[in-house]
Amino acid sequence: MNKFSAPPPDTRLRFDPEGLALHEFERAFFRGDTTRIARALVGAWFARRYEGEWYGARLVETEAYLGSRDAAAHSYRGRRTARVEPMYMDGGHLYVYFVYGMHHCANIVTRPAGTAEAVLLRAAENPAAAHPRLLSGPGRFCAALGLTREFSGSDLLEEGDLRLFHGRARRLRIGVTPRIGIDYSGEAKDWPLRFFDRDSPAVSGPARLRRGLE
DNA sequence: GCGTAGATCGTCT
DNA sequence: GACGATCTACGCT
């Protein structure tokens, strides 16, 4: 494996999208309100195809980043650099960045092209794998799926190796809290933009942030 | 359970 | 040159 090939996903994440009868989101969904999308993505399946097999997990924790008005967002005040450029793409693209010299974080870009908002994917679970820590936290989520910067800018709706599917229509108890790890962001640090499945063992963060009320 | 420190390097000023 | 949309290990309660 050289630096030009993405690391493989964890083999425990293998699953069958057809067997679960999952279907894809439409472009219009990703162009909508970012906060609503962040909430709606809890329960959705994120999937990657690698050497012909599908690997994936059900999202259990997300955060909304509201672009130029959000001091916690990389696109705050319209900042537009090579790294952040995928955030300005049409809804339904992926934005992946590298932090702390060792971790990657993955986001789903929202809103129409030109508006740089996104949903951070913080945690997921693969019920069959029964390994709650494997995808718990944005860094571990990317590590388990083998997501690196080379996927930044990928379109999740085009025929490709990355996809997002509706979860099954089960009723979820959604928790809401402020976002994690953005204490530098002034009043934005208190905005209730983190959403999670209150019944999932894979939700990340300290205990008090795993009990937020709907 | 909690808080703190250190790792480690791409990105931006 | 400073700083992370993080994680782990460690010590204390």
Side-chain angles (χ1 to χ4, degrees), chain A residues 94-98 104-107 142 147-149 151-153:
Chain A
L94 198 69
Y95 167 48
V96 183
Y97 63 90
F98 184 62
H104 292 269
C105 293
N107 301 253
C142 284
L147 299 179
T148 58
R149 278 169 298 177
F151 289 107
S152 199

Side-chain angles (χ1 to χ4, degrees), chain A residues 80 109 115 155 173 189 195-196 211:
Chain A
R80 190 160 190 166
V109 172
T115 302
D155 190 350
R173 298 166 65 227
K189 81 174 166 40
F195 302 95
F196 58 98
R211 294 190 282 265

Side-chain angles (χ1 to χ4, degrees), chain A residues 86-159:
Chain A
M87 283 190 77
Y88 289 84
M89 291 177 167
D90 201 358
H93 285 75
L94 198 69
Y95 167 48
V96 183
Y97 63 90
F98 184 62
V99 270
Y100 296 112
M102 62 194 90
H103 301 296
H104 292 269
C105 293
N107 301 253
I108 309 295
V109 172
T110 60
R111 312 281 291 176
T115 302
E117 303 189 11
V119 173
L120 173 66
L121 306 180
R122 287 197 56 92
E125 65 182 18
N126 182 312
H131 189 149
R133 285 174 49 82
L134 184 60
L135 304 130
S136 182
R140 283 202 286 254
F141 175 83
C142 284
L145 281 158
L147 299 179
T148 58
R149 278 169 298 177
E150 72 190 78
F151 289 107
S152 199
S154 300
D155 190 350
L156 295 162
L157 288 159
E158 209 174 71
E159 282 296 310

